[in-house]
Amino acid sequence: MRLKMINMKSIINRGAILMMGIFAFCSATAQEVIKEDVAEANVVKKIEPRKKIDGVIAVVGDYVILDSDIDKTYLEITSRGSSVEGITRCELLGKLLEDKLYAHHAIQDSIIVKDAEVNETMDQQLSYMVSQIGSMEKVVQYFKKSNEEDLKSQLFEIIKMDKLASKEQKNIVEAVEITPEEVRAFFKKIPQAELPVFGAEMEVSQIVIEPEVTQADKQKVIDKLNEFRKDILENNGSFFSKAVLYSEDTGSKSNGGFYRMNKKTPFVKEFKDVAFSLAEGEISQPFATVHGYHIIYVEKIRGADIDLRHILLVPKVNNDALKAAKEKAEKIREKIVSGAITFADAARSESDEKETKTNGGVLLNPKTQDTRFELTKMDPKLYSQVSDLKDKEVSYPILEEDELGRKKYKLITVTNRYNEHTADYSQDYIKIKELALKEKQIKAIAKWSEEKIKETYIKINGQYKDCDFANNWLKK
């Protein structure tokens, strides 16, 4: 397979696909895996050339692809409101073949995806879908499955294959590095007319002042959680119902506060410490985390995994504390405006936001991990707070409330602005380096694919032999 020069547009598009991973549930339903213990026998049986293979259009190693997989992929795309115009069956088959090739070689390379890891991801996805659609029954109907078990069974296999493919792809690209000389060479080879244009950007800093929660306010939620606990233990009350009715964790309350977790699950340390200290069937005492106060009920211990439910209550801030926080923010602003202290120094000494105070209040773009925010892609709420600020101007205290109802005051300033411009090597080195690295990763994957296609059993049947694939699946 010959690699052609990749223009800027293809680098950005294909690079985005590369870094995002190997598809989500909605774009990959109804893919079938041959079980390991019968894989070889089944593959040999199904690829016997003298027998008609009803519905099987391709085989990649231990995986088969059905003609209906393409039909269902089309259906999933349209169900999300996207257009399928111009997307051919051959193109969809090519992508399915790539996914199967990754997954097959992940197994050959002894990459392991544990069932617990798959179940955790599945539970998170289902919880999210329930929160968006309204109920598990509606989720089952939306994806046109016969029942919840059917949905979970297919989702389990899809997630497992995707995780195998994702880990294999990560193995391919993680060793790819790029030198400054390669970045410079990459930039120089781009024709002047094809240089990317970067949109207007800005750098933003903030100081956060959180109202003090009184001990009395904390005790109110502790007492409430103790009431829940007592009712459940002494009167056989329902933990599930109380979580649905009272928990302030929007991510789990509709599912009765349910989470499946292990010690690698990215929950805060205090939560994990309590969860793993409990026996099956035990309910914790109320305890605090940065999110508020919790009680945990351990429903089932599955080896290294725990099925649990929890209830979160967040202490409410009284008006006096809120007023005091605003006054403190106003005084800090006065000192900055008068020149008594810089914004950065004020952030280091006064801000209550740990993530930004050490670097002078500078915000990191969560999408790029850079300090710049492109205006057209900036969070609308943040944009509305900074759009009218002049350079170095400090906002008046801004009251902000998060999804848990916690209130805080912020001071915001724009520290730098960058107008829309054609890529400049020195000014945009980080972005150019990312593009150059993506191109090198794409080439590494292309080389890997070319080699693995040659050594992997691949069979394409019927009319799909006439497809003009980007990869040499037909081994011509």
Side-chain angles (χ1 to χ4, degrees), residues 67-202:
D67 202 19
S68 60
D69 289 339
I70 297 180
D71 296 326
K72 290 173 182 177
T73 303
Y74 272 122
L75 178 63
E76 294 295 349
I77 293 172
T78 55
S79 71
R80 299 195 306 275
S82 301
S83 173
V84 295
E85 184 178 355
I87 302 177
T88 68
R89 297 182 71 83
C90 287
E91 288 171 335
L92 288 182
L93 175 57
K95 191 66 183 88
L96 292 175
L97 288 166
E98 288 180 13
D99 293 343
K100 305 300 187 187
L101 185 69
Y102 287 128
H104 172 75
H105 283 282
I107 295 173
Q108 306 305 308
D109 295 339
S110 301
I111 291 176
I112 297 174
V113 174
K114 295 182 179 179
D115 287 355
E117 181 182 351
V118 178
N119 284 325
E120 180 182 342
T121 299
M122 180 170 65
D123 290 338
Q124 291 172 352
Q125 290 189 8
L126 288 173
S127 294
Y128 174 77
M129 285 186 268
V130 168
S131 70
Q132 295 298 305
I133 298 177
S135 68
M136 180 61 73
E137 182 180 359
K138 290 181 179 178
V139 173
V140 171
Q141 292 173 352
Y142 179 82
F143 288 106
K144 298 179 174 61
K145 305 303 176 187
S146 57
N147 52 54
E148 182 179 339
E149 190 61 33
D150 182 32
L151 173 65
K152 287 184 175 181
S153 176
Q154 293 194 34
L155 181 55
F156 182 93
E157 294 300 334
I158 293 162
I159 292 174
K160 186 165 187 176
M161 193 202 73
D162 285 352
K163 284 184 177 294
L164 283 169
S166 181
K167 288 185 177 184
E168 181 67 14
Q169 194 176 51
K170 182 180 178 182
N171 279 351
I172 299 167
V173 302
E174 67 181 1
V176 178
E177 297 178 346
I178 196 158
T179 66
E181 291 77 13
E182 289 175 309
V183 177
R184 182 178 293 277
F186 166 82
F187 184 74
K188 283 185 175 181
K189 77 180 181 182
I190 304 172
Q192 186 68 28
E194 295 182 16
L195 286 172
V197 175
F198 297 125
E201 298 173 310
M202 63 171 59

Side-chain angles (χ1 to χ4, degrees), residues 326-456:
K326 183 178 181 181
E327 290 174 351
K328 180 179 179 181
E330 288 172 341
K331 290 178 181 178
I332 294 171
R333 182 182 183 277
E334 289 173 5
K335 289 181 180 180
I336 298 170
V337 172
S338 70
I341 190 172
T342 66
F343 193 101
D345 287 340
R348 293 186 185 98
S349 61
E350 302 291 349
S351 182
D352 292 323
E353 187 172 62
K354 295 179 181 179
E355 294 83 1
T356 60
K357 69 179 297 178
T358 56
N359 62 347
V362 178
L363 288 177
L364 283 182
N365 187 328
K367 296 180 180 178
T368 64
Q369 296 304 305
D370 189 12
T371 58
R372 296 186 188 183
F373 290 81
E374 188 171 343
L375 268 58
T376 57
K377 299 178 182 178
M378 184 180 285
D379 176 80
K381 183 169 68 174
L382 179 60
Y383 179 78
S384 68
Q385 294 170 349
V386 300
S387 58
D388 294 331
L389 289 178
K390 298 180 176 64
D391 291 348
K392 309 300 181 183
E393 181 183 359
V394 180
S395 72
Y396 286 94
I398 299 169
L399 179 62
E400 194 170 88
E401 185 173 344
D402 66 14
E403 67 278 1
L404 296 178
R406 296 175 298 191
K407 296 178 180 179
K408 60 187 177 184
Y409 278 98
K410 299 198 314 184
L411 300 174
I412 295 182
T413 189
V414 177
T415 53
N416 284 300
R417 294 181 192 271
Y418 304 89
N419 294 326
E420 182 179 294
H421 62 281
T422 300
D424 175 86
Y425 182 76
S426 58
Q427 181 178 333
D428 302 302
Y429 178 80
I430 293 177
K431 289 185 175 65
I432 295 167
K433 179 182 178 182
E434 289 174 357
L435 294 174
L437 179 60
K438 286 176 182 177
E439 182 191 56
K440 192 171 181 180
Q441 289 173 334
I442 289 168
K443 289 181 177 180
I445 286 178
K447 182 180 179 181
W448 179 91
S449 297
E450 182 180 11
E451 294 171 352
K452 296 303 179 183
I453 286 172
K454 291 177 181 178
E455 66 183 59
T456 305

